[in-house]
Amino acid sequence: MMKSKWRYSLVAAGVLASLSAVRAAETIPVSGTHSAEGTAVRLKKISVKGSRTQPRQQTTLSTLVSGKTLEQDNINRFEDLSQEVSGLDIAASDALDTRVTIRGIGDGGGSEINIGMASSVGQFLDGVRLSRPGMLSDDLLDIESVNVLKGPQGTLYGFNTSAGAIDIRSRKPTFTPQASAEQSVGQRGYVRTKVMASGALTENLAGRINVTHSERGGFVENVINGHQLGGSRGNGVRGQLLWLPTDKLDVRFIGDYSESTNFPVLSLVGVHSINGNPLFLNHASQTGAVIVNGRKVALDDQSETRVRQGGASVTADYHSDSGYSLHSLSAWRYFLFLPESADGLSIPLFANSGGDAHDRTWEQRFWLESPKGRKVDYTVGLDYWGENLHTFAHDHYYNGSDVTTWYGSNGNTGKYVQRFGMLKDDVASLYANSHWHINDQLELTTGLRGSYEKKTGSFRRINKNDFDSGILSQTEFLPALSTSLNWYATPNITPYLTLAYAEKSGGLNVSSGAAAKAGMDSLYINPEKTRSAELGVRTHWLQHKVEWNTALFWNEVSDFQTTAYDEESESSYLINAGKYRSRGVETQLSLYPAEGLDLALNGTLLDTRYLDFSNAKCPAEVSLQANAPATCNLTGKRVFSSPRLSLNAHARYEWNVADTLQAFVSGGYSWRSNAFGTVDDSEFTRIPAYGVLNLSTGLTGKRGNDTWHVSLWMQNALNKSYYRVIKAGDYGSAYGQLADERMIGLTLGWDFKG
């Protein structure tokens, strides 16, 4: 349990006088994303709200959310980003188990994390590839923008982006001195402190530093001891240097470190009978387990996870007199996850368990951009990325009759089951992207990338179903290609057609279950393949007072990487499971009807179906039946984690109260239809539809060159009780992670200008 407490941070920040201006050209470390193939059409950007510029040569419909919008809407956590972006779903149980899907594609699901399977949604922070979504800390710290690109992005962003990419950019150092301090407080011990300072250090060198502290109290009561669970606390620091030695060379250094402690808790969602037999309740009665649900749990022990992570990167950009630009990015990151997980019952089954993970990644990228404005613009590049991941999964079972009674055997009683995993990944790729200005109305963007990947791993399990895989090695060639035609039919209407193909990395089955079922050959999983088409139109009207973009999309995923489950070894393992399809329509509407008034609506209507999934794991309502089949046929069923309809609506009005005083009111509503929480489409794990309303109001004023602001905000204003994640439990039960209750808070801030 995290004790509720109020902690305030006082940080003094000083900055030096301004000596020069920051170069206007924006550096894009991700391969080519601001090059000819990755940036603007003639339209302005389409944001969830407020942004008025559109990247040129955008190949699919994307959603760009400014950092200012995130701050105004009090969106501080990565998992809340779906409240701004329709078609994006983030299921976050903890920092290791965070799953992201875009338009129903991205993750293979399963009851455990298998380190041999990557996500097909890529996440990037200032161009640096993040190996897992949990490496995006609880605080979206000092963010300039978040761009969610939908559909295969392999030619621009590289491997494992066949579902899309999330590109996060932080604010750069400034030569003009500035600083800010912000303090937020709210119900249930909510505290967030942010301090920033930026300014010139020498004539050619500027720096920026951010410090943050956060605490969040629990919102689920443990009736055994009265503790409030579900809270967190964390600290982070991020430092940058921007060096401009000449007018042709920019160099940016970034370093960050953060640590957090979370107290995750899964609540009982429901108990289901099988043929009238309440198996879960029967076992609870036999062991004396106390059963409660909703925002109450009955636990004899509690879970805790600790995360330490950090990294460093250097980006260099050289702009020649002839118009060519040469770019380099070098980066290294690490991620350390240390859980102490307990069972979800009031009886002693296991404690201090979970899967430790120590992940280290490094990368080097070079890319060359041709001069702009010619008949054909192009980018060519070379990327290398490496990863070294070690895991240690440990299950500490008690030695008592409750364990034997609950599991129906003594297979777990008194055992300390250990699983050691190792994964080493090396990926090198060459790519080229071009942009052909056919005439004044037609532009053709093409991209081609080839990635060579060598993956090595091993798995060893002891004390239960002992198994040693030895060294496993897999080498794959992963192609990606795309083509997009933009037709500037009129100055304000641009239809486009995009076709794309990409492959996701193959997998290694670091699990004894696979070998036990199908032999050692089953430890190797084929790459997952995605074909995509998108037909859309981007429009703007009335001098950009109305911006409306709409797209029809179609995706087909074959050799679907997902998980099966071996009951004997109680572990999940990877399989290639046929194919599924994702299709639908997405629309984005932004309105600026009057000065200070912004309205926005974005929505995604999604149809995802398994086209061929005959060897699926059976849902609990089938597998718990007598003489249950070994597998089930899900062909024609909905794909998990893909709500049919998602909508986000926002409104903000600002007006002048006095010469130096401005007021605002703002509201946002996000709605998701129901979706299956697990890959087997179990009715027990269906996540009900829910809507979330957030409201805020405040004042902004000036005092000399400085600006102050105060806001009163309410998250989940309707106090909706909804689940972010629902998983299958034992004997027909289902457990879920509840979102926060309604929270009212106050934010005070001061911005200092030199």
Side-chain angles (χ1 to χ4, degrees):
M1 179 197 70
M2 189 187 77
K3 297 179 179 178
S4 296
K5 55 186 177 181
W6 301 85
R7 181 181 300 172
Y8 297 88
S9 299
L10 179 62
V11 179
V15 292
L16 301 177
S18 172
L19 296 173
S20 65
V22 180
R23 183 183 180 91
E26 175 75 8
T27 298
I28 302 301
V30 173
S31 307
T33 55
H34 263 209
S35 63
E37 74 285 358
T39 52
V41 295
R42 294 177 182 173
L43 302 176
K44 295 187 176 182
K45 285 183 188 173
I46 301 304
S47 169
V48 173
K49 61 177 180 178
S51 178
R52 303 275 188 108
T53 57
Q54 168 98 18
R56 189 170 181 78
Q57 298 136 20
Q58 182 100 356
T59 58
T60 59
L61 200 62
S62 66
T63 303
L64 181 69
V65 187
S66 70
K68 182 179 179 180
T69 296
L70 295 174
E71 292 165 353
Q72 289 174 342
D73 292 347
N74 203 37
I75 301 295
N76 298 299
R77 297 182 298 184
F78 175 68
E79 63 194 74
D80 293 328
L81 192 59
S82 59
Q83 295 181 20
E84 302 283 344
V85 183
S86 68
L88 171 68
D89 283 273
I90 303 173
S93 296
D94 54 48
L96 186 66
D97 188 4
T98 299
R99 306 168 189 269
V100 182
T101 59
I102 294 178
R103 294 174 175 173
I105 304 174
D107 186 84
S111 57
E112 296 181 3
I113 293 295
N114 190 313
I115 65 171
M117 180 172 65
S119 172
S120 55
V121 176
Q123 291 94 33
F124 301 85
L125 178 60
D126 291 318
V128 178
R129 176 185 294 273
L130 306 179
S131 61
R132 57 191 71 262
M135 295 178 82
L136 293 167
S137 62
D138 288 342
D139 287 300
L140 293 174
L141 179 62
D142 202 22
I143 298 301
E144 178 67 29
S145 66
V146 177
N147 196 11
V148 180
L149 300 101
K150 301 169 182 181
Q153 304 295 326
T155 58
L156 290 177
Y157 285 82
F159 70 109
N160 295 343
T161 59
S162 54
I166 301 175
D167 189 357
I168 300 177
R169 314 276 179 84
S170 66
R171 296 184 176 112
K172 287 185 174 183
T174 60
F175 281 84
T176 301
Q178 58 181 242
S180 65
E182 184 178 276
Q183 181 68 61
S184 299
V185 295
Q187 294 173 293
R188 293 180 295 281
Y190 177 87
V191 176
R192 185 176 299 273
T193 306
K194 296 192 295 184
V195 177
M196 182 278 296
S198 181
L201 302 176
T202 69
E203 183 177 358
N204 299 318
L205 183 67
R208 190 181 190 97
I209 187 168
N210 297 86
V211 179
T212 182
H213 168 77
S214 63
E215 296 186 18
R216 184 182 296 264
F219 50 88
V220 177
E221 180 187 357
N222 184 359
V223 299
I224 300 298
N225 55 21
H227 291 175
Q228 297 294 318
L229 306 178
S232 64
R233 60 173 177 261
N235 299 285
V237 60
R238 181 180 182 84
Q240 300 186 59
L241 294 173
L242 179 61
W243 182 38
L244 308 178
T246 71
D247 60 354
K248 299 179 182 179
L249 179 64
D250 304 350
V251 183
R252 187 184 183 191
F253 305 85
I254 303 176
D256 67 272
Y257 174 80
S258 67
E259 57 182 18
S260 62
T261 302
N262 293 267
F263 303 87
V265 57
L266 293 177
S267 303
L268 183 64
V269 176
V271 176
H272 304 275
S273 298
I274 307 299
N275 290 333
N277 185 11
L279 299 176
F280 182 85
L281 295 180
N282 291 343
H283 282 75
S285 176
Q286 294 170 13
T287 57
V290 178
I291 302 301
V292 294
N293 61 8
R295 294 196 180 274
K296 295 183 182 295
V297 293
L299 306 178
D300 64 314
D301 201 355
Q302 63 193 38
S303 298
E304 176 181 321
T305 64
R306 289 171 291 138
V307 176
R308 293 198 295 270
Q309 58 180 313
S313 67
V314 180
T315 305
D317 304 279
Y318 176 75
H319 312 275
S320 70
D321 291 334
S322 60
Y324 287 91
S325 298
L326 179 63
H327 309 273
S328 169
L329 182 147
S330 307
W332 173 84
R333 293 202 65 83
Y334 80 97
F335 172 85
L336 181 62
F337 178 76
L338 300 172
E340 296 180 3
S341 301
D343 60 79
L345 297 170
S346 62
I347 57 174
L349 296 181
F350 60 83
N352 192 24
S353 299
D356 302 356
H358 188 193
D359 196 6
R360 289 140 292 175
T361 63
W362 53 93
E363 62 183 304
Q364 177 62 57
R365 300 181 176 184
F366 298 103
W367 66 100
L368 174 70
E369 295 180 334
S370 71
K372 304 299 183 292
R374 297 182 177 180
K375 187 72 173 179
V376 177
D377 303 330
Y378 64 86
T379 298
V380 293
L382 169 66
D383 296 349
Y384 167 77
W385 185 82
E387 178 182 26
N388 196 341
L389 171 63
H390 288 84
T391 65
F392 171 52
H394 43 91
D395 297 326
H396 295 259
Y397 291 98
Y398 285 97
N399 187 11
S401 59
D402 285 338
V403 179
T404 302
T405 301
W406 183 262
Y407 291 107
S409 71
N410 60 2
N412 294 325
T413 307
K415 288 193 173 181
Y416 176 35
V417 183
Q418 302 172 68
R419 301 181 296 281
F420 303 88
M422 181 276 290
L423 186 70
K424 189 176 187 303
D425 202 2
D426 293 282
V427 184
S429 66
L430 288 168
Y431 70 94
N433 292 279
S434 67
H435 185 70
W436 179 22
H437 309 268
I438 300 173
N439 55 43
D440 288 341
Q441 288 189 306
L442 294 176
E443 295 179 349
L444 180 67
T445 300
T446 59
L448 179 65
R449 180 187 290 261
S451 298
Y452 173 87
E453 179 178 33
K454 182 177 182 180
K455 187 175 291 187
T456 305
S458 65
F459 174 82
R460 185 164 62 96
R461 181 188 184 111
I462 61 175
N463 293 338
K464 184 178 181 181
N465 299 301
D466 291 3
F467 176 76
D468 191 341
S469 70
I471 299 298
L472 307 172
S473 183
Q474 180 184 52
T475 301
E476 300 285 356
F477 177 74
L478 307 172
L481 55 94
S482 66
T483 182
S484 181
L485 181 65
N486 287 281
W487 174 34
Y488 297 98
T490 71
N492 61 325
I493 301 176
T494 306
Y496 67 92
L497 173 65
T498 298
L499 304 175
Y501 174 85
E503 293 191 10
K504 171 185 168 183
S505 297
L508 294 178
N509 254 320
V510 285
S511 171
S512 58
K517 291 289 183 183
M520 295 296 288
D521 288 344
S522 67
L523 299 182
Y524 299 93
I525 302 301
N526 296 326
E528 186 177 277
K529 306 167 182 65
T530 300
R531 294 182 294 164
S532 174
E534 182 167 316
L535 177 63
V537 59
R538 303 183 179 95
T539 71
H540 64 87
W541 311 87
L542 303 175
Q543 297 181 330
H544 289 281
K545 290 184 178 180
V546 178
E547 299 177 342
W548 186 19
N549 300 330
T550 300
L552 298 171
F553 58 87
W554 173 91
N555 304 277
E556 184 178 276
V557 178
S558 57
D559 282 326
F560 172 43
Q561 295 174 354
T562 186
T563 54
Y565 188 73
D566 178 43
E567 294 182 358
E568 181 179 355
S569 62
E570 295 182 348
S571 62
S572 58
Y573 59 95
L574 294 179
I575 58 172
N576 286 115
K579 66 177 63 175
Y580 69 93
R581 180 196 62 219
S582 165
R583 63 184 179 182
V585 60
E586 183 168 343
T587 190
Q588 301 173 344
L589 176 64
S590 297
L591 303 173
Y592 311 95
E595 184 67 28
L597 177 60
D598 293 351
L599 305 173
L601 173 69
N602 62 88
T604 301
L605 181 63
L606 183 62
D607 175 40
T608 54
R609 299 283 172 181
Y610 295 112
L611 301 180
D612 178 17
F613 196 3
S614 58
N615 58 339
K617 174 191 172 184
C618 291
E621 53 265 40
V622 174
S623 63
L624 292 176
Q625 299 276 357
N627 302 315
T631 61
C632 287
N633 189 352
L634 294 184
T635 302
K637 303 291 186 180
R638 283 175 58 190
V639 176
F640 80 110
S641 193
S642 55
R644 286 176 174 159
L645 181 62
S646 57
L647 294 169
N648 295 315
H650 295 269
R652 182 179 177 89
Y653 180 56
E654 299 178 355
W655 70 98
N656 291 324
V657 178
D659 290 342
T660 60
L661 187 63
Q662 188 178 60
F664 78 90
V665 291
S666 178
Y669 185 74
S670 176
W671 189 84
R672 297 289 188 273
S673 63
N674 68 75
F676 292 108
T678 51
V679 71
D680 54 18
D681 277 7
S682 173
E683 287 294 333
F684 297 172
T685 62
R686 184 192 290 264
I687 301 174
Y690 65 89
V692 181
L693 176 66
N694 299 324
L695 301 172
S696 62
T697 185
L699 295 170
T700 301
K702 285 186 174 293
R703 184 175 180 180
N705 291 329
D706 300 339
T707 303
W708 58 266
H709 62 271
V710 56
S711 62
L712 180 66
W713 45 265
M714 183 185 302
Q715 300 293 103
N716 192 9
L718 302 179
N719 203 25
K720 176 68 176 179
S721 206
Y722 64 97
Y723 291 94
R724 296 183 182 274
V725 178
I726 295 183
K727 301 179 178 182
D730 295 332
Y731 307 119
S733 63
Y735 284 83
Q737 186 171 53
L738 281 161
D740 292 359
E741 295 178 291
R742 175 171 53 222
M743 181 184 293
I744 300 174
L746 179 70
T747 297
L748 302 171
W750 197 285
D751 297 322
F752 307 89
K753 300 283 185 170

